[in-house]
Amino acid sequence: MSDLVLHRERLADRLALRRASMFVGREDVLTVFRSAVGAAAPEHSAVAVIFVHGPGGTGKSTLLQRFADEARGVDRPVLQVNARGVEPSRQAFEARAGGVLDLPAGVLIVDNFEHCQGLEPWLAYEFLPRLPVGALVVLASRNPPCTHWCEDLGWSSALHVAPLSDLRDAEARELLRSMRVRPSLHDTLIEFTHGHPLALRLAAEIATRDNVGTMTWKSSGPVLRQLVECLVGDAPSPSHQHALEVCAHVLTTTEGLLRATLGDEAPALFAWLRRQPYVESGQHGLSPHDLVREILDADLRWRDPDGYQRMHETVSRYLLDEAQAATGPDVLPAVLASTYLHRHNGFVSRFLTWDIESGIYEDVYRPSDRADVLRLIDSAEGPRSACIAEHWIDAQQSAFRVYRLAESSMPVAVMAWLRLTPDLADAVSRDPVTAAAWEHIRSRRPLRDHEHFAVARFMATSDPGQSPSASMDLMIHRCVAQFLHSEHLAWSFIALASGPFWGDFMEYLDHRMLPDDIPVGAQRFTLYAHDWRVVTRKRWTEVGASIELAGPDAKPKPHFREGAEVMTVLSREEFDTAVLDALDSWHRRDGLAASPLSRTRMVADQGHDDPVVSLRTLLTEAVAALREDPRAEKYHRVVDMRFLRGAPTREAAAERLGLSVSTYQRHLKRGLQRVLDQLWDRELLGPGGEKLVN
């Protein structure tokens, strides 16, 4: 009977075997641990402390249980302590963990150490040095070790720090296989969880429990709440919770963004976010772990749709203002941050990757890049395009942007933003693409004084085709940056290799496809065009913001060209005629409402809800401006009498002013010309003759 008892299998053994069969990854730190506990002479092992750290749910507890099982497997005595239930005092900690001080080959494993992490200096300086040689301590915390370990050089070889991150793709698939998840779901679950161990297990349990198919699995509210509680825990206050939600919603969080959303608490909230283990600091601000970002954002959207919408609108306005105000190297990151709010629009995410960790960055063109740039264009678009690119490099070198690998500075993509005006007609005609753009403008709405058009040309990458990639992301965002910042831009064109893929996205950007493809050598290109005088930047950004949160399945319909903000573009002759007609209708609301001037830029710039009020104000101000010039004061009297005071005939007006009819006519003509010139300048150059940004 005693023999049977000795050989009877314990439940603990089965549990250990099951844990071992489902454990995946973490080979690096396991190797260190096995070396420390499996040494023939433990006292000769250099490592005395293994400090494991990582956000909630990354598998710290699972790893520590594996450590305990393996240590017992080689007959090492194991003492396991959960610091969550230990008072954070020296006495309480030593009462629970001090037994290891009497075990030369003992292994102390402390989980949830963040609850006692204030004791870390004491551990490093007093408690751990009392360990018998050969003992091993494993600490697991959400937070990395403090700097006290570095202050004592003796710990340089005795301490091993092991940060835990997400599972690699192969490891995640191995875990799903061990949980008997059907292979058709693997990609979906890994994409949702980013390989986060706990999230992957929860999602796998739901998928296997409910026996769902590939297209029907989705995260539920209870799953999101469980993940939030595990990964983030409870925020100290509603303001801290709101700061977390903002941080999760945007690409990067700055103190300025928090100030715009949370007011004077911003500095303290930013400092708190910065200390969280699931938040990283980068060049442009704070970013949460990918899964934390998606879980927090999805949880708020599910839990409080109205609050989510309000937060989104506030953040969107701030980021758009930042993108428009940015200068120099800050422009592209600011535009990326603004468009990142479109990521939940499933249509847009088919075309943009927002892969900011790709190691590719935008740079200026340098003469030493010439051979690499021409090679990229030749490979992507053919030798004829490369020959044309040489022409443009010589004519507009500053138009070219080069996209480089961070590790080597090697160009991997290139594009040109060609700024073109009628005086460059000869250069324009040498390129079939720019020539087609110019012909389209001339046949539709020609350029006016001070205006130019631009063509995004030679969008060439080292990858085959123009499929979505980090390089294409940067080039598209460079185009958007030019839309927001180019002065006097009348038309923009984007030239892409002919094919159906990008057409819908260009329509989303309100760039309409020209009907005829353009042959360049063996390649054919499609041009997509936008007239910024018809749909202004203001209208374009407002409509874009309104569809950021569109559903993921349907193609959004921006409706850029609906509503009062769609502008009328008039030639100078048409404009002058419209001004004279509007002056004649100054006293009649219906006449001003019907005027084409009511849909011009100068009226829109007034910012009034009623275009008739804006137009009447502009006309009144233009007439009144004549009085400011002593030489034109006599013209002001005549124009004012004729149009604003409503003299019935020229004879009556001349009589009231004490002028002959011929003098009256002469002054009226000269005064009107000044009014027309002033309003035309206002239409082209903006209020006060300032530079106009489209």
PDB file of all heavy atoms in Angstrom, residues 663-692:
ATOM      1  N   THR A 663     -18.199 115.447 -65.621  1.00  0.00           N
ATOM      2  CA  THR A 663     -17.288 115.247 -64.472  1.00  0.00           C
ATOM      3  C   THR A 663     -17.777 114.091 -63.604  1.00  0.00           C
ATOM      4  O   THR A 663     -16.982 113.259 -63.132  1.00  0.00           O
ATOM      5  CB  THR A 663     -17.207 116.533 -63.643  1.00  0.00           C
ATOM      6  OG1 THR A 663     -16.732 117.597 -64.464  1.00  0.00           O
ATOM      7  CG2 THR A 663     -16.276 116.352 -62.452  1.00  0.00           C
ATOM      8  N   TYR A 664     -19.074 114.060 -63.386  1.00  0.00           N
ATOM      9  CA  TYR A 664     -19.653 112.956 -62.607  1.00  0.00           C
ATOM     10  C   TYR A 664     -19.299 111.611 -63.243  1.00  0.00           C
ATOM     11  O   TYR A 664     -18.875 110.668 -62.547  1.00  0.00           O
ATOM     12  CB  TYR A 664     -21.169 113.130 -62.537  1.00  0.00           C
ATOM     13  CG  TYR A 664     -21.911 111.917 -62.037  1.00  0.00           C
ATOM     14  CD1 TYR A 664     -22.039 111.666 -60.672  1.00  0.00           C
ATOM     15  CD2 TYR A 664     -22.472 111.009 -62.945  1.00  0.00           C
ATOM     16  CE1 TYR A 664     -22.717 110.546 -60.219  1.00  0.00           C
ATOM     17  CE2 TYR A 664     -23.142 109.884 -62.501  1.00  0.00           C
ATOM     18  CZ  TYR A 664     -23.262 109.644 -61.143  1.00  0.00           C
ATOM     19  OH  TYR A 664     -23.920 108.525 -60.695  1.00  0.00           O
ATOM     20  N   GLN A 665     -19.459 111.486 -64.571  1.00  0.00           N
ATOM     21  CA  GLN A 665     -19.175 110.235 -65.267  1.00  0.00           C
ATOM     22  C   GLN A 665     -17.698 109.853 -65.130  1.00  0.00           C
ATOM     23  O   GLN A 665     -17.352 108.690 -64.929  1.00  0.00           O
ATOM     24  CB  GLN A 665     -19.532 110.374 -66.744  1.00  0.00           C
ATOM     25  CG  GLN A 665     -21.014 110.401 -67.026  1.00  0.00           C
ATOM     26  CD  GLN A 665     -21.641 109.025 -66.908  1.00  0.00           C
ATOM     27  OE1 GLN A 665     -21.886 108.545 -65.798  1.00  0.00           O
ATOM     28  NE2 GLN A 665     -21.877 108.394 -68.051  1.00  0.00           N
ATOM     29  N   ARG A 666     -16.824 110.872 -65.262  1.00  0.00           N
ATOM     30  CA  ARG A 666     -15.386 110.599 -65.171  1.00  0.00           C
ATOM     31  C   ARG A 666     -15.012 110.113 -63.774  1.00  0.00           C
ATOM     32  O   ARG A 666     -14.276 109.135 -63.619  1.00  0.00           O
ATOM     33  CB  ARG A 666     -14.612 111.856 -65.534  1.00  0.00           C
ATOM     34  CG  ARG A 666     -13.106 111.642 -65.593  1.00  0.00           C
ATOM     35  CD  ARG A 666     -12.384 112.841 -66.189  1.00  0.00           C
ATOM     36  NE  ARG A 666     -12.546 114.042 -65.358  1.00  0.00           N
ATOM     37  CZ  ARG A 666     -13.307 115.074 -65.675  1.00  0.00           C
ATOM     38  NH1 ARG A 666     -14.019 115.063 -66.813  1.00  0.00           N
ATOM     39  NH2 ARG A 666     -13.400 116.141 -64.871  1.00  0.00           N
ATOM     40  N   HIS A 667     -15.527 110.794 -62.747  1.00  0.00           N
ATOM     41  CA  HIS A 667     -15.221 110.382 -61.375  1.00  0.00           C
ATOM     42  C   HIS A 667     -15.817 109.003 -61.057  1.00  0.00           C
ATOM     43  O   HIS A 667     -15.201 108.204 -60.330  1.00  0.00           O
ATOM     44  CB  HIS A 667     -15.769 111.414 -60.394  1.00  0.00           C
ATOM     45  CG  HIS A 667     -14.994 112.692 -60.405  1.00  0.00           C
ATOM     46  ND1 HIS A 667     -15.291 113.756 -59.550  1.00  0.00           N
ATOM     47  CD2 HIS A 667     -13.938 113.113 -61.159  1.00  0.00           C
ATOM     48  CE1 HIS A 667     -14.455 114.747 -59.784  1.00  0.00           C
ATOM     49  NE2 HIS A 667     -13.639 114.378 -60.776  1.00  0.00           N
ATOM     50  N   LEU A 668     -17.008 108.752 -61.579  1.00  0.00           N
ATOM     51  CA  LEU A 668     -17.649 107.452 -61.336  1.00  0.00           C
ATOM     52  C   LEU A 668     -16.817 106.322 -61.938  1.00  0.00           C
ATOM     53  O   LEU A 668     -16.591 105.285 -61.298  1.00  0.00           O
ATOM     54  CB  LEU A 668     -19.058 107.440 -61.920  1.00  0.00           C
ATOM     55  CG  LEU A 668     -19.855 106.134 -61.741  1.00  0.00           C
ATOM     56  CD1 LEU A 668     -20.091 105.847 -60.268  1.00  0.00           C
ATOM     57  CD2 LEU A 668     -21.181 106.209 -62.502  1.00  0.00           C
ATOM     58  N   LYS A 669     -16.322 106.508 -63.156  1.00  0.00           N
ATOM     59  CA  LYS A 669     -15.532 105.473 -63.824  1.00  0.00           C
ATOM     60  C   LYS A 669     -14.257 105.182 -63.038  1.00  0.00           C
ATOM     61  O   LYS A 669     -13.894 104.019 -62.812  1.00  0.00           O
ATOM     62  CB  LYS A 669     -15.209 105.921 -65.242  1.00  0.00           C
ATOM     63  CG  LYS A 669     -14.394 104.907 -66.031  1.00  0.00           C
ATOM     64  CD  LYS A 669     -14.135 105.399 -67.450  1.00  0.00           C
ATOM     65  CE  LYS A 669     -13.293 104.387 -68.229  1.00  0.00           C
ATOM     66  NZ  LYS A 669     -13.010 104.881 -69.616  1.00  0.00           N
ATOM     67  N   ARG A 670     -13.570 106.238 -62.623  1.00  0.00           N
ATOM     68  CA  ARG A 670     -12.314 106.044 -61.907  1.00  0.00           C
ATOM     69  C   ARG A 670     -12.549 105.467 -60.512  1.00  0.00           C
ATOM     70  O   ARG A 670     -11.783 104.630 -60.032  1.00  0.00           O
ATOM     71  CB  ARG A 670     -11.567 107.372 -61.817  1.00  0.00           C
ATOM     72  CG  ARG A 670     -11.062 107.848 -63.179  1.00  0.00           C
ATOM     73  CD  ARG A 670     -10.425 109.225 -63.099  1.00  0.00           C
ATOM     74  NE  ARG A 670      -9.951 109.645 -64.421  1.00  0.00           N
ATOM     75  CZ  ARG A 670      -9.449 110.850 -64.687  1.00  0.00           C
ATOM     76  NH1 ARG A 670      -9.358 111.753 -63.700  1.00  0.00           N
ATOM     77  NH2 ARG A 670      -9.046 111.151 -65.909  1.00  0.00           N
ATOM     78  N   GLY A 671     -13.610 105.917 -59.865  1.00  0.00           N
ATOM     79  CA  GLY A 671     -13.924 105.372 -58.547  1.00  0.00           C
ATOM     80  C   GLY A 671     -14.289 103.901 -58.604  1.00  0.00           C
ATOM     81  O   GLY A 671     -13.853 103.090 -57.765  1.00  0.00           O
ATOM     82  N   LEU A 672     -15.107 103.535 -59.613  1.00  0.00           N
ATOM     83  CA  LEU A 672     -15.488 102.134 -59.752  1.00  0.00           C
ATOM     84  C   LEU A 672     -14.276 101.251 -60.038  1.00  0.00           C
ATOM     85  O   LEU A 672     -14.192 100.116 -59.541  1.00  0.00           O
ATOM     86  CB  LEU A 672     -16.525 101.976 -60.865  1.00  0.00           C
ATOM     87  CG  LEU A 672     -17.962 102.360 -60.499  1.00  0.00           C
ATOM     88  CD1 LEU A 672     -18.867 102.281 -61.726  1.00  0.00           C
ATOM     89  CD2 LEU A 672     -18.492 101.437 -59.394  1.00  0.00           C
ATOM     90  N   GLN A 673     -13.332 101.767 -60.839  1.00  0.00           N
ATOM     91  CA  GLN A 673     -12.157 100.961 -61.140  1.00  0.00           C
ATOM     92  C   GLN A 673     -11.368 100.663 -59.871  1.00  0.00           C
ATOM     93  O   GLN A 673     -10.870  99.555 -59.671  1.00  0.00           O
ATOM     94  CB  GLN A 673     -11.264 101.672 -62.163  1.00  0.00           C
ATOM     95  CG  GLN A 673     -10.136 100.794 -62.703  1.00  0.00           C
ATOM     96  CD  GLN A 673     -10.665  99.546 -63.386  1.00  0.00           C
ATOM     97  OE1 GLN A 673     -11.533  99.611 -64.258  1.00  0.00           O
ATOM     98  NE2 GLN A 673     -10.172  98.381 -62.947  1.00  0.00           N
ATOM     99  N   ARG A 674     -11.291 101.652 -59.000  1.00  0.00           N
ATOM    100  CA  ARG A 674     -10.596 101.427 -57.728  1.00  0.00           C
ATOM    101  C   ARG A 674     -11.343 100.392 -56.873  1.00  0.00           C
ATOM    102  O   ARG A 674     -10.727  99.551 -56.228  1.00  0.00           O
ATOM    103  CB  ARG A 674     -10.459 102.746 -56.968  1.00  0.00           C
ATOM    104  CG  ARG A 674      -9.440 103.701 -57.582  1.00  0.00           C
ATOM    105  CD  ARG A 674      -9.136 104.831 -56.626  1.00  0.00           C
ATOM    106  NE  ARG A 674      -8.076 105.693 -57.141  1.00  0.00           N
ATOM    107  CZ  ARG A 674      -7.129 106.243 -56.393  1.00  0.00           C
ATOM    108  NH1 ARG A 674      -7.131 106.014 -55.082  1.00  0.00           N
ATOM    109  NH2 ARG A 674      -6.203 107.020 -56.910  1.00  0.00           N
ATOM    110  N   VAL A 675     -12.657 100.482 -56.847  1.00  0.00           N
ATOM    111  CA  VAL A 675     -13.453  99.505 -56.093  1.00  0.00           C
ATOM    112  C   VAL A 675     -13.253  98.103 -56.655  1.00  0.00           C
ATOM    113  O   VAL A 675     -13.051  97.123 -55.921  1.00  0.00           O
ATOM    114  CB  VAL A 675     -14.938  99.897 -56.108  1.00  0.00           C
ATOM    115  CG1 VAL A 675     -15.808  98.758 -55.557  1.00  0.00           C
ATOM    116  CG2 VAL A 675     -15.163 101.167 -55.308  1.00  0.00           C
ATOM    117  N   LEU A 676     -13.285  97.997 -57.991  1.00  0.00           N
ATOM    118  CA  LEU A 676     -13.098  96.686 -58.629  1.00  0.00           C
ATOM    119  C   LEU A 676     -11.715  96.113 -58.329  1.00  0.00           C
ATOM    120  O   LEU A 676     -11.575  94.922 -58.011  1.00  0.00           O
ATOM    121  CB  LEU A 676     -13.304  96.810 -60.140  1.00  0.00           C
ATOM    122  CG  LEU A 676     -14.718  97.177 -60.604  1.00  0.00           C
ATOM    123  CD1 LEU A 676     -14.723  97.482 -62.100  1.00  0.00           C
ATOM    124  CD2 LEU A 676     -15.697  96.051 -60.285  1.00  0.00           C
ATOM    125  N   ASP A 677     -10.689  96.949 -58.408  1.00  0.00           N
ATOM    126  CA  ASP A 677      -9.324  96.479 -58.143  1.00  0.00           C
ATOM    127  C   ASP A 677      -9.174  96.024 -56.698  1.00  0.00           C
ATOM    128  O   ASP A 677      -8.536  94.997 -56.412  1.00  0.00           O
ATOM    129  CB  ASP A 677      -8.309  97.585 -58.436  1.00  0.00           C
ATOM    130  CG  ASP A 677      -8.174  97.893 -59.924  1.00  0.00           C
ATOM    131  OD1 ASP A 677      -8.624  97.057 -60.734  1.00  0.00           O
ATOM    132  OD2 ASP A 677      -7.626  98.964 -60.266  1.00  0.00           O
ATOM    133  N   GLN A 678      -9.749  96.801 -55.805  1.00  0.00           N
ATOM    134  CA  GLN A 678      -9.629  96.452 -54.389  1.00  0.00           C
ATOM    135  C   GLN A 678     -10.307  95.117 -54.090  1.00  0.00           C
ATOM    136  O   GLN A 678      -9.751  94.255 -53.395  1.00  0.00           O
ATOM    137  CB  GLN A 678     -10.237  97.552 -53.522  1.00  0.00           C
ATOM    138  CG  GLN A 678     -10.127  97.247 -52.023  1.00  0.00           C
ATOM    139  CD  GLN A 678     -10.955  98.189 -51.180  1.00  0.00           C
ATOM    140  OE1 GLN A 678     -11.371  99.227 -51.657  1.00  0.00           O
ATOM    141  NE2 GLN A 678     -11.205  97.822 -49.944  1.00  0.00           N
ATOM    142  N   LEU A 679     -11.528  94.925 -54.610  1.00  0.00           N
ATOM    143  CA  LEU A 679     -12.240  93.680 -54.353  1.00  0.00           C
ATOM    144  C   LEU A 679     -11.572  92.488 -55.040  1.00  0.00           C
ATOM    145  O   LEU A 679     -11.559  91.377 -54.500  1.00  0.00           O
ATOM    146  CB  LEU A 679     -13.700  93.818 -54.790  1.00  0.00           C
ATOM    147  CG  LEU A 679     -14.550  94.756 -53.921  1.00  0.00           C
ATOM    148  CD1 LEU A 679     -15.928  94.958 -54.542  1.00  0.00           C
ATOM    149  CD2 LEU A 679     -14.685  94.189 -52.501  1.00  0.00           C
ATOM    150  N   TRP A 680     -11.010  92.695 -56.220  1.00  0.00           N
ATOM    151  CA  TRP A 680     -10.293  91.615 -56.908  1.00  0.00           C
ATOM    152  C   TRP A 680      -9.071  91.189 -56.090  1.00  0.00           C
ATOM    153  O   TRP A 680      -8.801  89.993 -55.932  1.00  0.00           O
ATOM    154  CB  TRP A 680      -9.900  92.073 -58.301  1.00  0.00           C
ATOM    155  CG  TRP A 680      -9.145  91.045 -59.107  1.00  0.00           C
ATOM    156  CD1 TRP A 680      -7.861  91.103 -59.516  1.00  0.00           C
ATOM    157  CD2 TRP A 680      -9.666  89.805 -59.614  1.00  0.00           C
ATOM    158  NE1 TRP A 680      -7.533  89.992 -60.239  1.00  0.00           N
ATOM    159  CE2 TRP A 680      -8.630  89.164 -60.318  1.00  0.00           C
ATOM    160  CE3 TRP A 680     -10.901  89.159 -59.538  1.00  0.00           C
ATOM    161  CZ2 TRP A 680      -8.777  87.924 -60.944  1.00  0.00           C
ATOM    162  CZ3 TRP A 680     -11.055  87.919 -60.157  1.00  0.00           C
ATOM    163  CH2 TRP A 680     -10.010  87.320 -60.847  1.00  0.00           C
ATOM    164  N   ASP A 681      -8.350  92.169 -55.568  1.00  0.00           N
ATOM    165  CA  ASP A 681      -7.212  91.839 -54.701  1.00  0.00           C
ATOM    166  C   ASP A 681      -7.685  91.091 -53.460  1.00  0.00           C
ATOM    167  O   ASP A 681      -7.021  90.157 -52.988  1.00  0.00           O
ATOM    168  CB  ASP A 681      -6.457  93.106 -54.287  1.00  0.00           C
ATOM    169  CG  ASP A 681      -5.627  93.692 -55.420  1.00  0.00           C
ATOM    170  OD1 ASP A 681      -5.400  92.961 -56.414  1.00  0.00           O
ATOM    171  OD2 ASP A 681      -5.212  94.863 -55.317  1.00  0.00           O
ATOM    172  N   ARG A 682      -8.836  91.508 -52.947  1.00  0.00           N
ATOM    173  CA  ARG A 682      -9.385  90.829 -51.760  1.00  0.00           C
ATOM    174  C   ARG A 682      -9.719  89.372 -52.099  1.00  0.00           C
ATOM    175  O   ARG A 682      -9.476  88.467 -51.293  1.00  0.00           O
ATOM    176  CB  ARG A 682     -10.635  91.581 -51.301  1.00  0.00           C
ATOM    177  CG  ARG A 682     -11.342  91.010 -50.075  1.00  0.00           C
ATOM    178  CD  ARG A 682     -10.543  91.280 -48.808  1.00  0.00           C
ATOM    179  NE  ARG A 682     -11.286  90.903 -47.624  1.00  0.00           N
ATOM    180  CZ  ARG A 682     -11.923  91.760 -46.833  1.00  0.00           C
ATOM    181  NH1 ARG A 682     -11.906  93.064 -47.115  1.00  0.00           N
ATOM    182  NH2 ARG A 682     -12.551  91.343 -45.757  1.00  0.00           N
ATOM    183  N   GLU A 683     -10.255  89.119 -53.264  1.00  0.00           N
ATOM    184  CA  GLU A 683     -10.595  87.760 -53.689  1.00  0.00           C
ATOM    185  C   GLU A 683      -9.343  86.903 -53.845  1.00  0.00           C
ATOM    186  O   GLU A 683      -9.314  85.731 -53.452  1.00  0.00           O
ATOM    187  CB  GLU A 683     -11.387  87.808 -55.000  1.00  0.00           C
ATOM    188  CG  GLU A 683     -11.632  86.457 -55.658  1.00  0.00           C
ATOM    189  CD  GLU A 683     -12.626  85.585 -54.904  1.00  0.00           C
ATOM    190  OE1 GLU A 683     -13.169  86.019 -53.860  1.00  0.00           O
ATOM    191  OE2 GLU A 683     -12.851  84.448 -55.354  1.00  0.00           O
ATOM    192  N   LEU A 684      -8.289  87.492 -54.411  1.00  0.00           N
ATOM    193  CA  LEU A 684      -7.077  86.712 -54.679  1.00  0.00           C
ATOM    194  C   LEU A 684      -6.157  86.627 -53.476  1.00  0.00           C
ATOM    195  O   LEU A 684      -5.531  85.586 -53.242  1.00  0.00           O
ATOM    196  CB  LEU A 684      -6.300  87.314 -55.858  1.00  0.00           C
ATOM    197  CG  LEU A 684      -6.962  87.266 -57.233  1.00  0.00           C
ATOM    198  CD1 LEU A 684      -6.023  87.846 -58.262  1.00  0.00           C
ATOM    199  CD2 LEU A 684      -7.335  85.835 -57.605  1.00  0.00           C
ATOM    200  N   LEU A 685      -6.044  87.709 -52.715  1.00  0.00           N
ATOM    201  CA  LEU A 685      -4.999  87.807 -51.701  1.00  0.00           C
ATOM    202  C   LEU A 685      -5.505  87.764 -50.277  1.00  0.00           C
ATOM    203  O   LEU A 685      -4.711  87.762 -49.340  1.00  0.00           O
ATOM    204  CB  LEU A 685      -4.184  89.095 -51.897  1.00  0.00           C
ATOM    205  CG  LEU A 685      -3.544  89.259 -53.277  1.00  0.00           C
ATOM    206  CD1 LEU A 685      -2.862  90.604 -53.375  1.00  0.00           C
ATOM    207  CD2 LEU A 685      -2.554  88.134 -53.524  1.00  0.00           C
ATOM    208  N   GLY A 686      -6.816  87.760 -50.089  1.00  0.00           N
ATOM    209  CA  GLY A 686      -7.339  87.694 -48.738  1.00  0.00           C
ATOM    210  C   GLY A 686      -7.505  89.064 -48.112  1.00  0.00           C
ATOM    211  O   GLY A 686      -7.149  90.093 -48.684  1.00  0.00           O
ATOM    212  N   PRO A 687      -8.043  89.115 -46.897  1.00  0.00           N
ATOM    213  CA  PRO A 687      -8.299  90.390 -46.219  1.00  0.00           C
ATOM    214  C   PRO A 687      -7.027  91.214 -46.050  1.00  0.00           C
ATOM    215  O   PRO A 687      -5.979  90.696 -45.683  1.00  0.00           O
ATOM    216  CB  PRO A 687      -8.849  89.958 -44.848  1.00  0.00           C
ATOM    217  CG  PRO A 687      -9.385  88.579 -45.075  1.00  0.00           C
ATOM    218  CD  PRO A 687      -8.496  87.965 -46.106  1.00  0.00           C
ATOM    219  N   GLY A 688      -7.122  92.484 -46.330  1.00  0.00           N
ATOM    220  CA  GLY A 688      -5.982  93.381 -46.132  1.00  0.00           C
ATOM    221  C   GLY A 688      -4.841  93.151 -47.091  1.00  0.00           C
ATOM    222  O   GLY A 688      -3.730  93.644 -46.886  1.00  0.00           O
ATOM    223  N   GLY A 689      -5.074  92.370 -48.165  1.00  0.00           N
ATOM    224  CA  GLY A 689      -3.992  92.118 -49.113  1.00  0.00           C
ATOM    225  C   GLY A 689      -2.955  91.162 -48.584  1.00  0.00           C
ATOM    226  O   GLY A 689      -1.860  91.066 -49.104  1.00  0.00           O
ATOM    227  N   GLU A 690      -3.283  90.373 -47.502  1.00  0.00           N
ATOM    228  CA  GLU A 690      -2.341  89.414 -46.961  1.00  0.00           C
ATOM    229  C   GLU A 690      -2.185  88.247 -47.926  1.00  0.00           C
ATOM    230  O   GLU A 690      -3.022  87.990 -48.772  1.00  0.00           O
ATOM    231  CB  GLU A 690      -2.845  88.896 -45.612  1.00  0.00           C
ATOM    232  CG  GLU A 690      -3.017  89.988 -44.577  1.00  0.00           C
ATOM    233  CD  GLU A 690      -3.724  89.452 -43.342  1.00  0.00           C
ATOM    234  OE1 GLU A 690      -4.086  88.279 -43.341  1.00  0.00           O
ATOM    235  OE2 GLU A 690      -3.912  90.228 -42.402  1.00  0.00           O
ATOM    236  N   LYS A 691      -1.097  87.512 -47.727  1.00  0.00           N
ATOM    237  CA  LYS A 691      -0.918  86.326 -48.545  1.00  0.00           C
ATOM    238  C   LYS A 691      -2.050  85.355 -48.230  1.00  0.00           C
ATOM    239  O   LYS A 691      -2.379  85.110 -47.081  1.00  0.00           O
ATOM    240  CB  LYS A 691       0.422  85.653 -48.233  1.00  0.00           C
ATOM    241  CG  LYS A 691       1.604  86.389 -48.823  1.00  0.00           C
ATOM    242  CD  LYS A 691       2.886  85.597 -48.620  1.00  0.00           C
ATOM    243  CE  LYS A 691       4.045  86.268 -49.324  1.00  0.00           C
ATOM    244  NZ  LYS A 691       5.301  85.504 -49.150  1.00  0.00           N
ATOM    245  N   LEU A 692      -2.597  84.812 -49.278  1.00  0.00           N
ATOM    246  CA  LEU A 692      -3.735  83.916 -49.113  1.00  0.00           C
ATOM    247  C   LEU A 692      -3.245  82.482 -49.104  1.00  0.00           C
ATOM    248  O   LEU A 692      -2.547  82.051 -49.991  1.00  0.00           O
ATOM    249  CB  LEU A 692      -4.736  84.115 -50.251  1.00  0.00           C
ATOM    250  CG  LEU A 692      -5.966  83.226 -50.230  1.00  0.00           C
ATOM    251  CD1 LEU A 692      -6.808  83.531 -49.019  1.00  0.00           C
ATOM    252  CD2 LEU A 692      -6.770  83.397 -51.497  1.00  0.00           C
TER     253      LEU A 692
END
